[in-house]
Amino acid sequence: MNHTGHCLCGAVELRTTGAPEAMGYCHCTTCRTWASGPVVAFTIWKAEAVTITAGEEHVHTFEKTERSKRKFCRRCGSQLMIAIPTLDRVNVFATTLPTLVFKPSLHVNYAETVLPMRDGLPKLKDFPAEVGGSGESLPE
Ligand SMILES: [Zn+2]
Ligand SMILES: [Zn+2]
């Protein structure tokens, strides 16, 4: 199943193919600062499953680290996705894909939370071990 998404001004459009590999919430300071919110909802895709279909020329990339290329629309400032080249994955913000039913399965970087969420889902201190994190869980 495909989903299409776009930025606030509509200049940038993207398409995802298939289903995301994971969905959840990130509580890290970097995401919170970038998104101006207390938490962000992410969806993780294989890089090949995400295509920018219009407005590529408006997409600007900010790299705080080599691990994450944060892509946003230069016209309206909407945050679209974060490419993670070391894992060949792309994190598309759930809000960018309005037709995707968001079903979170975990929280990451919960050690940095400013908005504790008692939803019964696993709360990882940082990242899962399979992507280079400690894999450690924290209590709600
Ligand atoms: Zn835009
Ligand atoms: Zn984050």
Side-chain angles (χ1 to χ4, degrees):
M1 181 171 176
N2 294 346
H3 294 279
T4 55
H6 57 81
C7 63
L8 185 63
C9 78
V12 180
E13 289 177 5
L14 59 90
R15 187 182 60 228
T16 59
T17 306
E21 294 182 322
M23 296 192 258
Y25 299 99
C26 184
H27 295 257
C28 85
T29 307
T30 302
C31 283
R32 288 192 283 105
T33 303
W34 199 49
S36 302
V39 66
V40 300
F42 65 80
T43 68
I44 302 292
W45 306 76
K46 287 197 171 73
E48 68 203 24
V50 183
T51 314
I52 293 173
T53 50
E56 178 101 53
E57 70 274 21
H58 300 297
V59 176
H60 196 73
T61 302
F62 172 72
E63 290 181 43
K64 184 166 186 264
T65 71
E66 287 176 357
R67 280 178 56 114
S68 60
K69 297 176 188 292
R70 293 172 178 267
K71 294 176 185 288
F72 61 96
C73 172
R74 223 181 332 214
R75 286 186 67 199
C76 68
S78 296
Q79 299 151 28
L80 300 162
M81 63 179 96
I82 306 175
I84 312 163
T86 49
L87 300 174
D88 200 30
R89 295 294 185 276
V90 176
N91 164 5
V92 181
F93 293 108
T95 45
T96 307
L97 298 168
T99 58
L100 178 72
V101 178
F102 182 65
K103 288 186 188 151
S105 63
L106 80 168
H107 294 253
V108 299
N109 295 309
Y110 203 68
E112 298 175 48
T113 191
V114 295
L115 183 66
M117 296 163 76
R118 294 190 174 81
D119 56 9
L121 295 174
K123 308 288 187 308
L124 296 191
K125 182 182 162 203
D126 41 70
F127 289 107
E130 52 272 36
V131 296
S134 70
E136 225 175 283
S137 283
L138 296 176
E140 289 199 322

